Amino acid sequence: MALRWLQLGVLALALAGLFALLLVLSRVPGSEAFFIWIDFFKTALVIHVDQSVLIWFLAMSALVWCLTSPDENRLRIVESVAYLSALSGALGIAVSAFLGDGAPLMNNYVPVLQRPGFFLMLGLFGIGITLQALIRLGNFRPRQWLGNRPDIPGLASWTVSLAIVISLLALLIAWFQMPDEVEGQAYYEYLFWGAGHSLQFAYTQLVILAWILLARASGVTLPGSSRWYAWILMIGVVPVLFTPVIYMVHETVSLESRSAFTDLMKYGGGLAVIPAGFLILSGLIRADRSNSEYKPLRAALWMSLLLFFSGGALALFISGLNTMIPAHYHGSIVGVTLALMGLGYLLLPKLGYPLPKGRMVELQPWIYGIGQLLHISGLAASGMMGIQRKTAGTAQGLESVWAKASMGVMGIGGLLAVIGGILFVWIMLRAFLRGR
């Protein structure tokens, strides 16, 4: 089951990369001669975001749940149903971009296509993840976490499942509380606002686990004891417990509710990831050079830390609805993605495949990471000049030379990142095709 979820995650990244290539090309100056439909850009953006963030991250979460849960025969049928449901949903979401006439809506966290097929496939994927998360959540083993040598992977995966189940609860609460008069993009903005913020805590717990495993596997001696990291993980999931409370105190459709969830992530999101990142970075700086076999893991760890915290730093400069916002979240999101790419390399031998080797494997994290650094740098510079987010072609208003140059850098970096993503997918597919 773990192998199947890993393969689903790689499939989602492959689909996201395809749509990302179309996205980047549609924003490069002069591209309006080829991409004449603005809805094409928005439809591609919806599928790209849902595949590269929602499906990829949650599939890798399910992978971790499978590896840290006991193998129980009585649950195998449920796990198979969960996987097949998620796989069908992931494929169907990509196909829905080419079927139906519903317009894309660019709401935050889970953008949607107003097409019955899209919502059906999104629901199928959600059912699969929910079943797998509930299986992991039910496997509660506190004794493994509170001793002298706590089970860090087990604790981290359980906190990820807790955050995801609370996120699903938030989605249901918002759905039941939604007033009838709210519709269109506003409906989905409020529907996914609380759930989307809750999911961020699951992703930070997941990236901390990936950092720890990559550091240990590539010869980094982490400062402190395992109990430090256990406490960091437990503290990091506490803020998500306030999600239902926010819905009890504030109406779903209200500025107070939106502000409360923003503050929850603003002040609670760094409780775990900042101390964990500092400890891991300090160990990484002092570590000896890794041998060639583990260079891809070390490179993925370096670039993940750099991008994640670069994205966090850019959040301090957000003012208005410009491209500084995507610069911020592309940095942090790609930081998580790079860590999970490294985790994919690391887990291949555990699943019966040889550890990927070769120059291409060593360079892949650097190509992907440097490309994304250029990408977010171009977006950040454009944001400082007032270029609006979620626009393409002439709608961007690229009047000055500097605005065109910054978006050109964005385009070059984006294309380089797409190449890095394609390399990762190819490396993983090559390993799968060679067999266990």
Side-chain angles (χ1 to χ4, degrees), residues 37 93 99 107 148 231 265 275 284 318 321 337 402:
W37 306 285
I93 286 172
L99 300 176
N107 54 283
N148 291 327
W231 279 108
M265 191 167 66
L284 187 58
I318 292 176
L321 298 177
T337 292
W402 290 110

Side-chain angles (χ1 to χ4, degrees), residues 37-320:
W37 306 285
I38 193 65
D39 275 357
F40 165 80
F41 169 80
K42 291 183 177 180
T43 298
L45 184 56
V46 168
I47 304 301
H48 168 71
V49 171
D50 289 342
Q51 294 284 350
S52 63
V53 181
L54 187 72
I55 297 175
W56 158 244
F57 285 178
L58 293 181
M60 292 300 285
S61 299
L63 160 68
V64 172
W65 296 334
C66 289
L67 291 177
T68 56
S69 297
D71 187 13
E72 300 183 36
N73 291 330
R74 61 188 177 89
L75 295 176
R76 286 185 180 176
I77 294 178
V78 180
E79 288 187 326
S80 296
V81 170
Y83 169 75
L84 290 174
S85 179
L87 174 62
S88 301
L91 291 172
I93 286 172
V95 172
S96 68
F98 307 101
L99 300 176
D101 299 322
L105 295 179
M106 308 311 300
N107 54 283
N108 285 294
Y109 291 113
V110 186
V112 300
L113 302 178
Q114 296 183 91
R115 304 170 187 179
F118 175 87
F119 290 112
L120 175 62
M121 295 300 106
L122 185 63
L124 274 177
F125 180 78
I127 289 170
I129 289 296
T130 301
L131 288 174
Q132 196 69 50
L134 288 173
I135 291 172
R136 182 65 188 94
L137 193 65
N139 182 30
F140 186 69
R141 298 291 186 273
R143 290 185 179 179
Q144 298 177 353
W145 308 338
L146 302 177
N148 291 327
R149 299 191 64 180
D151 174 17
I152 297 300
L155 171 59
S157 72
W158 191 87
T159 60
V160 170
S161 67
L162 176 63
I164 288 173
V165 169
I166 290 177
S167 175
L168 292 166
L169 176 63
L171 183 64
L172 290 175
I173 294 173
W175 183 53
F176 279 114
Q177 292 185 352
M178 194 72 66
D180 294 336
E181 62 270 17
V182 180
E183 56 185 16
Q185 182 162 327
Y187 178 92
Y188 297 103
E189 185 73 16
Y190 284 109
L191 180 67
F192 292 115
W193 189 255
H197 279 77
S198 301
L199 271 179
Q200 307 316 301
F201 291 93
Y203 299 158
T204 55
Q205 297 290 98
L206 187 62
V207 79
I208 290 171
L209 172 61
W211 288 342
I212 292 172
L213 295 177
L214 290 175
R216 288 177 171 175
S218 61
V220 176
T221 301
L222 297 178
S225 67
S226 295
R227 297 181 68 181
W228 289 17
Y229 299 92
W231 279 108
I232 286 172
L233 288 166
M234 286 188 283
I235 292 170
V237 80
V238 168
V240 80
L241 301 177
F242 290 94
T243 297
V245 177
I246 293 175
Y247 281 114
M248 293 172 61
V249 175
H250 303 294
E251 294 182 359
T252 297
V253 182
S254 67
L255 291 177
E256 291 81 7
S257 175
R258 289 177 65 87
S259 298
F261 280 115
T262 301
D263 290 341
L264 184 68
M265 191 167 66
K266 181 178 179 181
Y267 298 110
L271 287 178
V273 76
I274 291 176
F278 175 77
L279 289 170
I280 293 167
L281 182 61
S282 63
L284 187 58
I285 292 172
R286 297 197 305 268
D288 296 332
R289 294 182 63 182
S290 61
N291 59 43
S292 58
E293 189 176 40
Y294 298 107
K295 279 185 178 179
L297 307 184
R298 184 74 66 86
L301 179 58
W302 268 116
M303 294 308 300
S304 173
L305 286 164
L306 179 58
L307 273 160
F308 188 91
F309 288 106
S310 294
L314 288 174
L316 301 175
F317 299 95
I318 292 176
S319 178

Side-chain angles (χ1 to χ4, degrees), residues 293-371:
E293 189 176 40
Y294 298 107
K295 279 185 178 179
L297 307 184
R298 184 74 66 86
L301 179 58
W302 268 116
M303 294 308 300
S304 173
L305 286 164
L306 179 58
L307 273 160
F308 188 91
F309 288 106
S310 294
L314 288 174
L316 301 175
F317 299 95
I318 292 176
S319 178
L321 298 177
N322 53 53
T323 55
M324 186 65 75
I325 296 175
H328 148 64
Y329 65 68
H330 271 94
S332 295
I333 285 172
V334 173
V336 179
T337 292
L338 266 163
L340 296 181
M341 285 178 170
L343 185 62
Y345 290 150
L346 172 62
L347 290 178
L348 278 178
K350 312 295 183 183
L351 299 173
Y353 297 93
L355 184 70
K357 298 179 181 178
R359 191 65 175 167
M360 182 172 65
V361 183
E362 294 178 11
L363 290 175
Q364 184 272 324
W366 298 110
I367 294 172
Y368 186 67
I370 292 172

